[in-house]
Amino acid sequence: MKLHKVGRLHGELHVPGDKSISQRALLFAALAEGTSKITGLSEADDVQSMAACLQQLGVKIEQKNGICYVHGRGLHGLRAPAGALDCGNSGTTMRLLAGVLAGQNFDSVLIGDHSLNSRPMRRIVEPLASMGAEIETAAEGTAPLKIHGKKLRGITYALPVASAQVKSAVLLAGLFADGKTVVIEPEQSRDHTEIMMAAMGVSVTQNNSEIRLGAERLQATEIEIPGDVSAAAFFIVAGLIVPDSEIVIKNVGLNPTRSYLIDLLKQANAQIEIQNNRNANGELIGDLKVYSSSVNGFTASGAEIPLLIDEIPVLAVLATQARGRTRFRDAKELRVKESDRIEAIDINLRKLGVQLETFADGFKIVGPQELHGGLINTFQDHRIAMAFAVASLIASGETEISNAHVATVSFPDFFDKLRHLSRQEWH
Ligand code: S3P
């Protein structure tokens, strides 16, 4: 894909349904009793990976007039799959399914693409093993995961890293375990699992960093999925850095464990207005109005990082235009995402002529700096492809993005939406 600098961004858009909530909606509805009705489900590749795995486990999923119906099989109704379950590029699919499959009375195998097969899985295998699970990994502690279904027991587990995927894997296994399951987080991570379990009738209680779960049943329900704030982030940053822009992003999920980038940017002088606030099944939703702004440099570290982990690639692009120093520290989790995102940010920003300093756990950029077009290597990572598409909007000359189609992992019509707002034709 070849992209060029644009004059301004103007107009209104919807972003896909939240990826994390869409995947949980399908999975929890599959484990519930009765038929759940899901509106606003994302059509992203990762969500389709979750749906395909559930179908192989005997779950019937139907789409009618844009509404998704999942016929729940109850906690004990999944069927042994005929072959390996392919989680594609999706860490959430693999880690959450592992929590469920560990407690079944059948065996299963989880596989993924090249990127997913190199991501760390011991972080779920270890707590699940202490619940009584039997899971074999490759020698490096990576997928394929061979899961021998076992009777599980509840545990109290202090997470070594703030990870919603690990937290959710343990809580899901807890649904199949005897006794209580308690998870303690070092820092708060996204809480969609807790919110959705509660909406489906499970008793989940949260006390500071401690989440307790009693093994019960899930009841089918109606689920409205908000727009994905992590997808909106690309347009928020684009609207802020392209001169004379004014855009409205409708129905964005504003769960505080996800929307911290908005607070951070507003503190740094970004003009972002939140309109039409409401609540759907415990998740906050609102419209965002974004104006071009002169943003100041900022620092994010410690407990702030899990609250904006997926937005850091596009915030790195923003940092090149911010006045003064922007720093991200304590973000070494970026190294084990769909790509090593610290390296991908470093290599690609340099290709656009940006100077930056990288660390094992983050990076520092002093802005504003001028961007010049260049050839972007996405490392097959959807968020790197989209972050650098945003960078191209303000770069002189031409920016070429290899494998730009990888954006479909989380945002199938990302480039169409960008074209529409900028009224440009790209090839
Ligand atoms: C996710 C949790 C985060 C996030 C990922 C989705 C989830 O990962 O980066 O994109 O749906 O639970 P970790 O749990 O590894 O932090």
Side-chain angles (χ1 to χ4, degrees), residues 14-15 17 21 39-40 195 222-228 249-256 259 274-288:
H14 284 85
V15 289
I21 303 177
T39 53
I195 290 176
E222 284 194 18
I223 306 168
E224 180 190 343
I225 314 243
D228 196 326
I249 315 171
K250 303 287 286 180
N251 286 328
V252 180
L254 295 174
N255 177 319
S259 61
I274 302 178
Q275 304 167 335
N276 302 324
N277 268 319
R278 58 198 176 86
N279 185 315
N281 314 94
E283 295 282 359
L284 302 178
I285 306 183
D287 300 340
L288 300 178

Side-chain angles (χ1 to χ4, degrees), residues 3-323:
L3 302 104
H4 298 100
K5 193 166 177 162
V6 298
R8 66 192 289 240
L9 297 175
H10 194 85
E12 195 176 283
L13 77 151
H14 284 85
V15 289
D18 188 280
K19 179 159 80 75
S20 291
I21 303 177
S22 292
Q23 291 178 296
R24 284 162 174 80
L26 290 172
L27 176 58
F28 296 176
L31 299 175
E33 287 164 26
T35 298
S36 292
K37 182 177 163 190
I38 308 173
T39 53
L41 189 76
S42 163
E43 291 174 4
D45 297 351
D46 274 6
V47 178
Q48 293 188 25
S49 295
M50 175 66 89
C53 290
L54 292 170
Q55 282 166 330
Q56 271 185 268
L57 290 163
V59 181
K60 198 166 142 209
I61 302 174
E62 291 174 304
Q63 294 273 1
K64 260 186 249 157
N65 306 323
I67 299 174
C68 176
Y69 297 89
V70 179
H71 302 279
R73 297 190 60 96
L75 278 181
H76 302 287
L78 295 182
R79 194 178 69 197
L85 298 165
D86 188 353
C87 304
N89 192 244
S90 173
T92 301
T93 299
M94 183 169 282
R95 295 191 176 119
L96 270 58
L97 274 179
V100 171
L101 294 170
Q104 303 300 314
N105 57 10
F106 54 79
D107 293 351
S108 46
V109 179
L110 294 173
I111 57 170
D113 69 6
H114 177 70
S115 153
L116 185 54
N117 283 345
S118 53
R119 296 178 66 187
M121 291 298 149
R122 283 200 185 108
R123 53 177 62 194
I124 53 158
V125 171
E126 281 166 10
L128 294 174
S130 57
M131 298 176 83
E134 209 185 305
I135 305 177
E136 287 171 52
T137 65
E140 302 76 29
T142 52
L145 301 181
K146 292 186 183 152
I147 304 179
H148 307 288
K150 283 268 149 46
K151 186 81 208 118
L152 304 180
R153 53 185 177 272
I155 49 163
T156 294
Y157 186 65
L159 295 174
V161 280
S163 161
Q165 293 178 357
V166 178
K167 168 173 71 176
S168 303
V170 175
L171 290 175
L172 280 159
L175 292 172
F176 300 93
D178 290 332
K180 282 224 176 305
T181 297
V182 181
V183 177
I184 301 159
E185 297 192 275
E187 284 137 7
Q188 174 143 43
S189 65
R190 63 191 67 192
D191 61 357
H192 307 301
T193 291
E194 298 89 302
I195 290 176
M196 199 174 291
M197 280 187 175
M200 292 182 133
V202 174
S203 82
V204 250
T205 52
Q206 175 133 24
N207 194 346
N208 296 321
S209 60
E210 194 177 288
I211 303 144
R212 286 177 177 268
L213 172 89
E216 287 161 62
R217 330 183 337 199
L218 286 90
Q219 278 303 331
T221 185
E222 284 194 18
I223 306 168
E224 180 190 343
I225 314 243
D228 196 326
V229 67
S230 302
F234 299 103
F235 288 97
I236 296 173
V237 170
L240 293 173
I241 65 177
V242 175
D244 302 320
S245 298
E246 189 178 318
I247 60 176
V248 176
I249 315 171
K250 303 287 286 180
N251 286 328
V252 180
L254 295 174
N255 177 319
T257 64
R258 295 287 301 286
S259 61
Y260 182 63
L261 91 148
I262 299 170
D263 304 329
L264 191 67
L265 290 172
K266 283 172 91 164
Q267 281 167 30
N269 200 40
Q271 232 188 308
I272 305 173
E273 288 165 14
I274 302 178
Q275 304 167 335
N276 302 324
N277 268 319
R278 58 198 176 86
N279 185 315
N281 314 94
E283 295 282 359
L284 302 178
I285 306 183
D287 300 340
L288 300 178
K289 192 157 187 188
V290 183
Y291 303 88
S292 316
S293 308
S294 168
V295 176
N296 299 320
F298 54 87
T299 297
S301 61
E304 294 168 293
I305 296 298
L307 307 179
L308 42 71
I309 189 76
D310 292 342
E311 290 71 72
I312 295 176
V314 77
L315 288 174
V317 173
L318 175 90
T320 68
Q321 302 311 301
R323 276 182 294 151

